[in-house]
Amino acid sequence: MHEHASARAAVAAMIRSKDLEGLLHHAESIHGHRCPFLALGVKAGQYAMNYLDQENTGMEEMVAIVECNNCFTDGIQVVTGCTFGNNGLIFRDLGKNAVTVARRDDGKAVRLIVRPDYRDNILAKYPAAQPLFQKIVVGR
């Protein structure tokens, strides 16, 4: 283990304890604002890391293949630790809010996708979110 391996210790602890609010706050500080797609990326990243039972020290243990170019990707990067700089993030613009996260050592992976009807379901459940969704996602 290298001398800077503890840089992700706080994020790893939040992943293990399923502290989504803490992870979202951390992602928001890097991304610049809190929005629906950032939250979805944080949740997907947290789920993938727990599912794969893996921590990422930034030393290329993991790879994330994102299929979109939006706020979702920042949530994935913050939580998984997979970035362009550490050779852990691969971008394939397939127009889907989806990610595949894999362990490099054995290839175990999980693919997560935001269902196409997510917006209708969320807005039906939380109608007060409609103005924020319009402003942040639709109106950019």
Side-chain angles (χ1 to χ4, degrees):
M1 189 175 303
H2 66 92
E3 65 186 82
H4 301 291
S6 65
R8 287 195 43 87
V11 173
M14 287 186 279
I15 292 169
R16 280 191 307 276
S17 68
K18 299 180 180 169
D19 179 4
L20 291 172
E21 184 64 32
L23 289 168
L24 183 57
H25 181 70
H26 182 62
E28 179 183 3
S29 72
I30 292 167
H31 180 66
H33 64 272
R34 184 177 288 209
C35 63
F37 278 104
L38 181 67
L40 289 169
V42 165
K43 177 63 177 165
Q46 180 268 332
Y47 180 89
M49 297 301 280
N50 279 327
Y51 178 84
L52 296 171
D53 192 27
Q54 179 72 44
E55 288 190 16
N56 187 353
T57 65
M59 296 305 293
E60 302 181 15
E61 297 98 337
M62 306 292 292
V63 63
I65 305 163
V66 292
E67 301 177 24
C68 58
N69 182 18
N70 61 31
C71 305
F72 180 83
T73 300
D74 279 354
I76 295 297
Q77 287 185 90
V78 167
V79 176
T80 66
C82 297
T83 68
F84 288 123
N86 68 16
N87 200 31
L89 186 67
I90 298 170
F91 171 59
R92 298 280 182 255
D93 192 3
L94 302 177
K96 296 179 181 178
N97 292 298
V99 62
T100 301
V101 181
R103 295 190 306 221
R104 289 186 189 264
D105 63 354
D106 64 3
K108 183 176 179 181
V110 62
R111 182 172 186 267
L112 303 166
I113 186 165
V114 177
R115 292 173 36 163
D117 62 351
Y118 81 95
R119 183 185 320 179
D120 297 334
N121 293 339
I122 291 294
L123 295 178
K125 189 172 181 179
Y126 304 103
Q130 177 67 34
L132 178 63
F133 189 88
Q134 284 298 121
K135 178 180 176 187
I136 301 293
V137 177
V138 177
R140 287 208 208 210

